[in-house]
Amino acid sequence: MLFRSEPLGLTFRVENVNPETAERAYFRLASAYKKDNLMEQALENCRALLSRYPNTSRRRETQTLMLDIYKGLKDYRSVMATLDELKRTATDPDEKRRIEAEIGSILFDMADYAKAAQAFKDSLQAARENDERLALREGFARALFRDGKTADALAQFEMLAKEEANPLRQFVAGMMVFALKFSLDQAFEREFPEAALRYVQQYEALSETERGRLSQAEFVKATWIYYAMALIDLKKDRGAAALEKLKAVSTSPDDFLAGDADRKSTRLNSSHSQQSRMPSSA
């Protein structure tokens, strides 16, 4: 006799139960455990459902639930395995394209930027809707940037700056265009966008209380300007000035931006630490 018994008192017998009822019970248990943050128990019931009923109509629903759990646990190996399985069994071209884009995002989070860029590129070529194309192009551009493909990243950000209708996203793309052109010696520091300079000057003139009243979009805009300035400082070997700006950028609500600022700050601090330990020449 098989008997299921778990900590929350969620129990059921699967012997002599018709498959549809058992499948529903397993899935409900898994969902309940996930809701209560009991992820291992949730995964156990998902695996039991798929193992005992391999032809279940709830397979994709169950795999999607497992995917959410693996993401929460940051178990990227299992995330990728689940996404690959969902992609392999997908019959809808739109769903397969969405999965490919999600694979790109996960590869980006795993810092596998070359593969992430390729995944975004493949999805971009098949995209149909304008919003989807813009989101994929942004992911493609950012993956290229992180992978050190500066010229290729610039080309994608230039297209974003032309195609993006959202004012903030268009502004961000414009900031990246200037910063990347500067890094490629295609622009001078004195050509820094005047509107951005005026904006950050007005931002710096605000009191802490006034800054606290800014919208998230207004704050994000200021941090992107500081980021572009920090990239210029880095190229000109103004490490202290770059660190000061990157510290401000690391508080940005934009996760990509804050993460990149933290990465660059860590590298810069590490470089300074190594230099300070080097023996001076007599």
Side-chain angles (χ1 to χ4, degrees):
M1 177 178 69
L2 177 63
F3 183 76
R4 301 290 303 166
S5 180
E6 299 293 352
L8 295 184
L10 300 172
T11 62
F12 70 96
R13 297 173 184 270
V14 296
E15 64 174 7
N16 301 322
V17 175
N18 71 71
E20 183 178 352
T21 300
E23 291 169 26
R24 184 169 60 248
Y26 274 124
F27 187 81
R28 285 180 175 175
L29 276 174
S31 298
Y33 283 131
K34 178 179 180 293
K35 184 177 180 181
D36 288 320
N37 204 35
L38 297 171
M39 301 307 184
E40 289 304 322
Q41 290 92 328
L43 287 170
E44 181 183 343
N45 279 276
C46 287
R47 294 183 186 118
L49 193 164
L50 297 178
S51 174
R52 293 182 177 280
Y53 305 99
N55 297 318
T56 176
S57 61
R58 294 179 178 269
R59 172 169 287 276
R60 297 192 73 76
E61 190 178 12
T62 302
Q63 289 175 325
T64 300
L65 178 61
M66 294 174 74
L67 180 63
D68 288 340
I69 294 171
Y70 288 137
K71 286 179 182 177
L73 295 173
K74 297 189 183 301
D75 182 353
Y76 289 124
R77 179 177 296 181
S78 296
V79 168
M80 289 301 298
T82 306
L83 283 171
D84 285 339
E85 175 64 13
L86 285 168
K87 179 182 175 182
R88 185 185 67 80
T89 57
T91 57
D92 179 10
D94 290 339
E95 181 186 7
K96 183 170 290 190
R97 194 172 64 254
R98 287 193 296 271
I99 293 172
E100 288 173 346
E102 189 165 1
I103 288 173
S105 296
I106 297 300
L107 287 168
F108 188 95
D109 290 342
M110 294 171 67
D112 195 339
Y113 302 122
K115 288 184 179 179
Q118 188 61 52
F120 282 124
K121 182 179 180 180
D122 292 343
S123 299
L124 180 60
Q125 291 172 342
R128 298 178 182 177
E129 300 296 328
N130 187 55
D131 287 347
E132 181 185 15
R133 281 195 299 272
L134 290 171
L136 290 169
R137 191 177 302 285
E138 182 181 59
F140 184 31
R142 292 183 175 191
L144 288 169
F145 173 65
R146 284 277 183 91
D147 196 35
K149 304 294 193 299
T150 306
D152 293 335
L154 172 59
Q156 296 304 316
F157 278 115
E158 285 180 322
M159 282 190 272
L160 275 173
K162 293 176 182 177
E163 298 171 357
E164 184 61 72
N166 179 281
L168 178 59
R169 290 181 178 275
Q170 185 182 58
F171 178 84
V172 168
M175 281 287 93
M176 285 301 294
V177 167
F178 179 80
L180 294 176
K181 281 187 173 181
F182 182 84
S183 70
L184 293 168
D185 296 321
Q186 297 177 13
F188 297 101
E189 185 174 6
R190 64 175 180 269
E191 296 173 329
F192 198 94
E194 290 185 11
L197 286 174
R198 287 195 300 271
Y199 187 91
V200 82
Q201 288 167 357
Q202 292 168 358
Y203 173 81
E204 290 174 348
L206 298 175
S207 66
E208 287 298 322
T209 300
E210 290 171 325
R211 290 182 189 180
R213 297 194 189 110
L214 293 177
S215 68
Q216 179 170 294
E218 289 170 325
F219 183 45
V220 167
K221 189 174 181 178
T223 54
W224 269 101
I225 298 170
Y226 281 131
Y227 181 71
M229 290 177 165
L231 293 182
I232 293 173
D233 287 334
L234 288 171
K235 183 172 174 60
K236 286 187 167 285
D237 293 323
R238 300 188 299 237
L243 275 173
E244 183 180 1
K245 295 180 180 70
L246 290 171
K247 181 179 179 181
V249 176
S250 66
T251 64
S252 176
D254 186 317
D255 290 338
F256 167 82
L257 187 59
D260 210 66
D262 282 336
R263 289 171 67 251
K264 284 181 167 53
S265 294
T266 300
R267 289 179 181 176
L268 196 55
N269 281 320
S270 176
S271 176
H272 285 176
S273 177
Q274 290 175 2
Q275 290 177 4
S276 67
R277 290 197 299 266
M278 291 177 63
S280 58
S281 58

